Amino acid sequence: MTQVKDFIVEMGFGNLFEIRWQHCVMWLIGGLLIYLAIKKDMEPTLLLPMGFGAILVNLPLSGAIGEEGAIDILFNAGIANELFPLLLFIGIGAMIDFEPLLTNPKLFLFGAAAQFGIFFTLTMASLFGFEINDAASIAIIGAADGPTSIFVANVLESKYIGAIIVAAYSYMALVPIVQPPVIRLLTTKKERLIRMNTKGKNVTKLTKILFPIVVTIITGLVSPQSLALIGFLMFGNLIRECGVLNSLSETAQKVLANLITLLLGLTVATKMQYGQFLTWDTFLILSLGLVAFVFDTFGGVLFAKFLNLFSKNKINPMIGAAGISAFPMSARVVHKMGLKEDNQNFLLMHAAGANVSGQIASVIAGGLILNFFG
């Protein structure tokens, strides 16, 4: 047996003896992410590179690409200095149409209500013994916004940034699995059948141009720590709405956003090496991230039900769940659930309005967290 082993080592395959059960676990996790991306079409731009990267960095003797290797250099160049999050926000801003929100400004309230999970999780993380900066960084997973999670965790210098990023992006991609059971639990069949008026006020081009500028100014005054993120988000939207940079807007929406997302998926996987990932703290953070998403949904839906107590024109409570920042996944989930209950109930416009409101609210919430603990 020893001779066989020596022969294998001499042939250059000695790394086979370096394989541990932890490697196999991480390969299974990577395979699951790839399966969800390809078979279930769940955010493939993100989950596919994350899954492949998780396998890549957990191959024996993968130091050339892992720690202090090529991908780690990319992590330091793009995530540690917040470059990727800021560039991605330009692409996200260029994709967002704020018209559904501007036609029904009341939807702004749902973006605020659906941030409840952040502050609930902050309390929970503190109770589990995490230091306040780490607890605040973990809580921002509830923003359902990967770039904001990266930004906050970096500024607060959390030692769990890898697990936080993985949790934030994983649950964003898993919104179609996480949210529907919570929505069904909190609503009745009658409430899910509520139809809402699809007619709204016409929004002028001037309003669409002024909106990102005004939001940037107001946010900068109220929550200066979130100015960088909200500024890049709104700049991307201004490119979309100005009407004179159409080719640049399309590039930001498609090429820039997709390229940065691919790079993010690969670089995030650097922090999925089994030595860092397969720890009690990581699983606790993943659990708290799930709690944050559940309670975001909980807060949004219950707030809609609360408004219905005082409103003549009833709101379908499901749109409250779209107040999280997982854009546009959450809006799609609510729209599909509405059609499943009633194939003539089109909730997309309302859900999209709440969803883009959540995009703004999540950045402001991240800024407030930094104001308190930064």
Side-chain angles (χ1 to χ4, degrees), residues 34 122 126 167 198 218 267:
I34 293 173
L122 174 59
S126 299
T198 57
I218 293 175
T267 50

Side-chain angles (χ1 to χ4, degrees), residues 246-322:
N246 292 334
S247 60
L248 189 58
S249 174
E250 290 182 8
T251 300
Q253 292 178 47
K254 298 175 182 178
V255 179
L256 178 64
N258 288 333
L259 178 60
I260 296 298
T261 302
L262 282 170
L263 292 175
L264 269 174
L266 281 172
T267 50
V268 164
T270 305
K271 303 302 179 182
M272 295 180 72
Q273 290 172 313
Y274 77 84
Q276 299 171 293
F277 195 79
L278 296 180
T279 65
W280 165 249
D281 284 340
T282 296
F283 288 111
L284 185 54
I285 290 169
L286 289 172
S287 300
L288 288 169
L290 178 60
V291 168
F293 268 69
V294 168
F295 276 86
D296 279 345
T297 306
F298 182 90
V301 172
L302 289 191
F303 182 71
K305 290 165 73 78
F306 174 75
L307 289 183
N308 280 344
L309 296 176
F310 310 98
S311 177
K312 187 176 180 180
N313 296 319
K314 301 299 181 183
I315 300 168
N316 190 311
M318 291 195 297
I319 72 165

Side-chain angles (χ1 to χ4, degrees), residues 146-271:
T148 300
S149 296
I150 295 171
F151 191 86
V152 171
N154 267 324
V155 172
L156 295 181
E157 298 180 346
S158 173
K159 55 181 172 287
Y160 301 109
I161 185 170
I164 289 168
I165 295 172
V166 170
Y169 276 104
S170 296
Y171 287 127
M172 281 175 60
L174 296 175
V175 159
I177 293 175
V178 174
Q179 282 202 306
V182 181
I183 295 171
R184 283 192 290 268
L185 179 66
L186 297 174
T187 57
T188 64
K189 176 76 171 179
K190 183 178 179 181
E191 287 174 327
R192 294 195 294 272
L193 288 171
I194 292 175
R195 292 189 180 187
M196 298 174 64
N197 182 15
T198 57
K199 294 181 180 179
K201 301 176 182 178
N202 292 326
V203 180
T204 65
K205 182 177 179 65
L206 179 60
T207 301
K208 291 182 179 181
I209 292 174
L210 289 176
F211 180 75
I213 298 172
V214 172
V215 168
T216 301
I217 293 172
I218 293 175
T219 304
L221 295 173
V222 174
S223 179
Q225 291 278 18
S226 61
L227 184 57
L229 288 176
I230 201 72
F232 276 68
L233 179 73
M234 291 300 159
F235 175 67
N237 187 250
L238 185 60
I239 292 175
R240 172 195 178 99
E241 301 297 351
C242 70
V244 294
L245 294 172
N246 292 334
S247 60
L248 189 58
S249 174
E250 290 182 8
T251 300
Q253 292 178 47
K254 298 175 182 178
V255 179
L256 178 64
N258 288 333
L259 178 60
I260 296 298
T261 302
L262 282 170
L263 292 175
L264 269 174
L266 281 172
T267 50
V268 164
T270 305
K271 303 302 179 182

Side-chain angles (χ1 to χ4, degrees), residues 101-117:
L101 179 60
L102 294 172
T103 58
N104 187 6
K106 184 168 61 175
L107 296 174
F108 269 111
L109 299 173
F110 294 107
Q115 308 308 310
F116 172 70

Side-chain angles (χ1 to χ4, degrees), residues 28-38 42 47-48 50-52 54 170 272:
L28 288 174
I29 292 173
L32 175 61
L33 294 177
I34 293 173
Y35 170 80
L36 292 174
I38 297 175
M42 293 174 60
L47 288 192
L48 187 62
M50 276 182 64
F52 184 79
S170 296
M272 295 180 72

